[in-house]
């Protein structure tokens, strides 16, 4: 089987469909560690992607995660490719998932239990290659991210004044990146012209909603952000 090198399904790392079929909530997530595995299968002229996530099962044990190899996993699963996405840490306090997000199967990868949280099929020729940063991508989902008063939030603002709230920070590029580093992260980012990075502490609860479509982007540390409503 010929592998599809450097495949990037853009920002599915944002968890396209985080919960099961009926409206369900997950709480107590702030700074909780998680990981994802994406499997990519070629179906003639299409690619079928399944996203597995540790949410609700474990916090992605470090020793087991370090032993995983994407190429070995792809051979074992007999799929076109796999991607390892993590470790990551949530920056919201809770998640509410809505809509027909079908309950997925539970699998164990190298001792790490995960559930299928999202599936997507795309034409082979339209599948993006390589990583792009500070470029919003539309992700189909219905979710509400719950940010609690008294907690910090970290935001990017583009030249048009649109604000993107960080929903998770990654320990992929910088394994030592921690919550305490985020207020000063702007000094490390190579922001495009006209973009700014800032942090603040919420004075009241905030709901970041995606009503069918979320506009999501990543910075060069692969931290993930979702655009706020105007």
């Amino acid at each position: 089987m010929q592998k599809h090198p450097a495949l990037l399904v853009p920002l599915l790392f944002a968890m396209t469909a985080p919960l099961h079929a009926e409206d369900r909530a997950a709480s107590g997530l702030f700074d909780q560690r998680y990981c994802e595995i994406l499997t990519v299968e070629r179906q003639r002229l299409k690619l079928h992607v399944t996203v597995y996530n540790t949410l609700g099962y474990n916090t992605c044990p470090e020793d087991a995660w370090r032993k995983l190899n994407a190429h070995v996993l792809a051979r074992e699963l007999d799929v076109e490719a796999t991607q390892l996405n993590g470790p990551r840490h949530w920056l919201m306090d809770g998640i509410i998932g809505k809509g027909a997000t079908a309950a997925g199967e539970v699998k164990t990868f190298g001792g790490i239990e995960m559930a299928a949280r999202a599936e997507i099929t795309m034409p082979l020729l339209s599948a993006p290659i390589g990583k792009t940063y500070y470029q919003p991508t539309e992700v189909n989902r219905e979710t509400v991210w719950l940010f609690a008063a008294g907690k910090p939030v970290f935001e990017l603002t583009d030249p048009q004044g649109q604000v993107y709230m960080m929903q998770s920070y990654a320990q992929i590029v910088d394994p030592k990146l921690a919550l305490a580093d985020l207020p000063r992260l702007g000094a490390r980012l190579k922001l495009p012209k006209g973009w700014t990075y800032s942090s603040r502490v919420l004075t009241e609860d905030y709901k970041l909603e995606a009503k069918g479509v979320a506009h999501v982007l990543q910075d060069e540390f692969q931290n993930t952000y979702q655009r706020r409503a105007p």
Side-chain angles (χ1 to χ4, degrees), residues 3-230:
K3 303 302 177 188
H4 197 276
L7 175 73
L8 178 67
V9 181
L11 306 175
L12 278 175
F13 304 144
M15 260 181 57
T16 306
L19 297 165
H20 292 169
E22 299 300 324
D23 286 11
R24 299 283 295 279
S27 60
L29 298 180
F30 186 75
D31 206 23
Q32 182 181 118
R33 173 185 164 115
Y34 73 98
C35 296
E36 293 179 337
I37 291 178
L38 283 71
T39 64
V40 184
E41 299 175 80
R42 182 169 177 174
Q43 300 175 345
R44 296 187 177 181
L45 296 179
K46 295 182 179 181
L47 292 176
H48 181 79
V49 181
T50 303
V51 183
Y52 295 86
N53 189 289
T54 59
L55 178 64
Y57 292 88
N58 56 75
T59 55
C60 186
E62 180 68 15
D63 289 345
W65 181 254
R66 284 179 175 270
K67 293 177 182 177
L68 292 177
N69 181 289
H71 299 294
V72 172
L73 271 179
R75 290 197 300 270
E76 291 176 348
L77 299 171
D78 193 25
V79 295
E80 189 80 5
T82 66
Q83 287 194 345
L84 307 181
N85 178 42
R88 290 184 172 276
H89 290 250
W90 298 113
L91 285 174
M92 72 284 290
D93 285 88
I95 299 173
I96 300 174
K98 297 182 177 182
T101 59
E105 66 177 324
V106 177
K107 284 190 174 183
T108 300
F109 304 92
I112 304 176
E113 196 171 20
M114 300 187 181
R117 300 296 190 179
E119 294 186 7
I120 187 170
T121 300
M122 67 181 69
L124 179 64
L125 295 179
S126 71
I129 301 298
K131 295 179 173 62
T132 56
Y133 304 120
Y134 303 102
Q135 296 187 18
T137 298
E138 290 188 357
V139 177
N140 296 322
R141 70 172 182 220
E142 291 185 57
T143 50
V144 181
W145 301 147
L146 306 175
F147 292 82
K151 299 286 181 64
V153 293
F154 309 96
E155 297 171 319
L156 289 171
T157 303
D158 71 12
Q160 289 73 45
Q162 298 182 113
V163 179
Y164 296 80
M165 295 182 71
M166 191 186 297
Q167 64 186 46
S168 70
Y169 69 90
Q171 294 174 319
I172 300 170
V173 176
D174 180 0
K176 295 183 178 180
L177 187 66
L179 179 64
D181 300 319
L182 298 183
R184 299 177 297 279
L185 182 65
R188 302 177 63 188
L189 297 176
K190 297 179 181 179
L191 295 169
K193 184 177 180 180
W195 287 69
T196 61
Y197 176 90
S198 61
S199 65
R200 60 191 173 98
V201 175
L202 290 175
T203 57
E204 59 184 21
D205 293 345
Y206 183 82
K207 292 182 178 180
L208 181 60
E209 298 189 51
K211 300 179 179 179
V213 176
H215 296 86
V216 184
L217 59 77
Q218 288 185 331
D219 63 29
E220 62 266 38
F221 287 90
Q222 298 186 36
N223 305 314
T224 303
Y225 305 72
Q226 180 179 313
R227 193 167 75 195
R228 286 170 32 190

